Amino acid sequence: MTDARRRVPRTDVLLSDPRLAAAERTLGRALVRKAVVDAQERVRAGALSPESAAEAAVAALPRAATTLRPVVNATGVLVHTNLGRAPLSPAAVEALRVASGTTDVEFDLTSTAARRARRGRGALAALAGAVPRAEAVHVVNNNAAALALVATALAGGREIVVSRGELVEIGDGFRLPELLESTGARLVEVGTTNRTHLADYARALGPDTGCVLKIHPSNFITTGFVASVPVAQLATLGVPLVHDIGSGLLAPHPALPAEPDAATSLADGADLVTASGDKLLGGPQAGLLLGRRDLIERLRAHPLARALRVDKLTLAALEATLIGPPPPTRDALETPTAALAARAAALVDRLTSEGVAAEVRTSEARVGGGGAPEVVLPSAAVALPAALALPLRAGHPAVVGRLHGDRLLLDLRTVPEEDDPTLLAALLAAAPAPHATAPAPHTTGTGPHATGTAP
Ligand SMILES: *Cc1c(COP(=O)(O)O)cnc(C)c1O
């Protein structure tokens, strides 16, 4: 047995290090133990001195008891499904904190007899307030759940009439027609890929019709010899008309003239609108249902509604998104390009003064998340050598940009301005010497840092 092996510090001795003991309270024993065992292994292998074991274990601690890592979205894709879609506003984050304990989500604190109250009434009132046209509203797990509930409650064992031009695949193999059919509803496809007329729908109606469904194609456009039937015309058919608008604009937005919105759709005569809460609305994952009171009541009363209901955290974040300040997704959509260019110039100044090769580039951001595929949002980016892509992804927080030839573009339209110092620190930490004396990014970061190493 070698000296090193004999000198491996004991587990209980390491665990009693004040920093590791403190981390045990925030991270739990298993994670701290793992860091300790890893450090002991390295001492045993001769890769670490016994005196450095505690220090190494502290350095190896995860920052929070989650394997999810904070990411700076510098891709220029506003609603990036693989990066968790909409970042929440500070107001929504605070609402999450409030709701994370026991809370009156379904309890009436004002009545003397402790009484049950309507679940999530604050969030529902906020949604109804944002779209006065809607007689009633309901919230479920996501838009896919909203569609499943609609199909089951309005057309289970019956028929949904839908245009062949709107049978879309949204992403990651998620095909709307397959979801709808999985509920037991039968799809009656009308029209052709490129052209569908009101008469096509009218011919398909019958005693088994549960509803007509209009789906926003979201992530593609058809051009050329095309025709589809607007909501106002479909509303004349005399059967429930459901409009899946997808990305969740509640009212028209000037930057996205072709994107449908809930208020307009209801004004045009849709009986129900379904949408996602975490696309352009900029809130938590949720499925929003808005429209006729009797239909919403049928959905709420269906047994499936319970399986699709949202938790208190979603309700809290949704309410804050609706009544609070504009969420980051909205800022990203509306920030003037000149402001982005100025931020890019300031970052490039700092980087070049630290010896990092960087320049300002114009860029083109996108809505993403299956919305407004034809819309280009002019933007500004910091261009860096492509070799930095990997080290940036490995940092804390991770930074994800877009590769363009031999350059890595960090598009600032999707980076909230208050994250610029975090981004700069991450860039300096990832770039090779000579500067390398940059502060560790986590000291200025905005991500979760429940760690024993914090002061
Ligand atoms: C994104 C999208 C969906 C799915 O919404 P989720 O909230 O991700 O379940 C459904 N329909 C349309 C038109 C969409 O764009």
Side-chain angles (χ1 to χ4, degrees), residues 81 85 141-147 168 170 174 176 179 215-219 244-247 259 274-279 285-287 369-371:
T81 297
R85 290 198 182 159
N141 180 55
N142 57 11
N143 194 12
L147 289 165
V168 295
I170 300 289
F174 168 47
L176 277 180
L179 169 77
I215 301 168
H216 179 44
S218 295
N219 51 8
D244 174 13
I245 63 169
S247 68
E259 197 68 14
T274 74
S276 296
D278 56 353
K279 291 183 181 171
Q285 178 185 304

Side-chain angles (χ1 to χ4, degrees), residues 44-93:
R44 207 167 282 127
L48 192 67
S49 74
E51 299 71 35
S52 313
E55 189 70 43
V58 168
L61 287 172
R63 283 149 210 256
T66 171
T67 52
L68 289 176
R69 287 171 50 207
V71 175
V72 175
N73 172 13
T75 61
V77 178
L78 267 62
V79 179
H80 199 303
T81 297
N82 301 145
L83 295 180
R85 290 198 182 159
L88 296 178
S89 68
V93 172

Side-chain angles (χ1 to χ4, degrees), residues 171-193:
D172 195 27
F174 168 47
R175 295 177 164 177
L176 277 180
E178 291 173 359
L179 169 77
L180 295 167
E181 284 177 325
S182 76
T183 68
R186 294 189 301 280
L187 291 190
V188 178
E189 301 175 11
V190 299
T192 60
T193 310

Side-chain angles (χ1 to χ4, degrees), residues 43-386:
V43 173
R44 207 167 282 127
L48 192 67
S49 74
E51 299 71 35
S52 313
E55 189 70 43
V58 168
L61 287 172
R63 283 149 210 256
T66 171
T67 52
L68 289 176
R69 287 171 50 207
V71 175
V72 175
N73 172 13
T75 61
V77 178
L78 267 62
V79 179
H80 199 303
T81 297
N82 301 145
L83 295 180
R85 290 198 182 159
L88 296 178
S89 68
V93 172
E94 176 59 14
L96 285 177
R97 200 190 57 73
V98 170
S100 64
T102 38
T103 178
D104 62 339
V105 64
E106 215 175 298
F107 188 92
D108 183 356
L109 291 169
T110 62
S111 77
T112 39
R115 224 186 298 141
R116 197 156 173 275
R118 178 153 186 196
R119 183 180 176 83
R121 58 211 173 281
L124 295 171
L127 182 56
V131 187
R133 276 268 175 189
E135 289 175 11
V137 299
H138 185 53
V139 179
V140 291
N141 180 55
N142 57 11
N143 194 12
L147 289 165
L149 185 56
V150 165
T152 308
L154 303 189
R158 303 174 68 211
E159 294 173 351
I160 300 174
V161 180
V162 60
S163 164
R164 289 198 170 87
E166 298 174 0
L167 296 172
V168 295
E169 176 172 316
I170 300 289
D172 195 27
F174 168 47
R175 295 177 164 177
L176 277 180
E178 291 173 359
L179 169 77
L180 295 167
E181 284 177 325
S182 76
T183 68
R186 294 189 301 280
L187 291 190
V188 178
E189 301 175 11
V190 299
T192 60
T193 310
N194 58 329
R195 289 173 74 84
T196 304
H197 307 285
L198 187 61
D200 296 321
Y201 287 94
R203 258 197 308 276
L205 300 184
D208 262 1
T209 304
C211 64
V212 167
L213 176 62
K214 184 171 178 63
I215 301 168
H216 179 44
S218 295
N219 51 8
F220 77 99
I221 43 171
T222 47
T223 56
F225 190 54
V226 296
S228 63
V229 185
V231 168
Q233 285 183 32
L234 293 175
T236 64
L237 289 168
V239 294
L241 171 60
V242 180
H243 189 191
D244 174 13
I245 63 169
S247 68
L249 283 186
L250 299 182
H253 194 286
L256 306 171
E259 197 68 14
D261 69 275
T264 305
S265 179
L266 292 171
D268 286 349
D271 298 297
L272 275 182
V273 166
T274 74
S276 296
D278 56 353
K279 291 183 181 171
L280 288 173
L281 183 63
Q285 178 185 304
L288 314 179
L289 287 144
L290 310 98
R292 250 169 63 189
R293 186 176 311 281
D294 60 324
L295 297 179
I296 293 285
E297 279 313 314
R298 265 169 78 185
L299 302 182
R300 272 171 31 86
H302 195 280
L304 184 61
R306 173 58 187 244
L308 306 176
R309 81 174 190 182
V310 286
D311 80 335
K312 59 185 179 176
L313 300 179
T314 301
L315 291 165
L318 178 62
E319 181 177 8
T321 301
L322 288 163
I323 66 174
T329 303
R330 189 50 73 104
D331 288 341
L333 192 58
E334 295 174 359
T335 302
T337 313
L340 302 175
R343 286 169 51 202
L347 283 167
V348 163
D349 265 1
R350 285 294 310 276
L351 289 166
T352 45
S353 75
E354 301 278 354
V356 181
E359 74 259 22
V360 178
R361 287 276 179 92
T362 59
S363 179
E364 293 186 342
R366 301 272 171 177
V367 168
E374 81 286 18
V375 171
V376 168
L377 302 164
S379 188
V382 174
L384 297 162

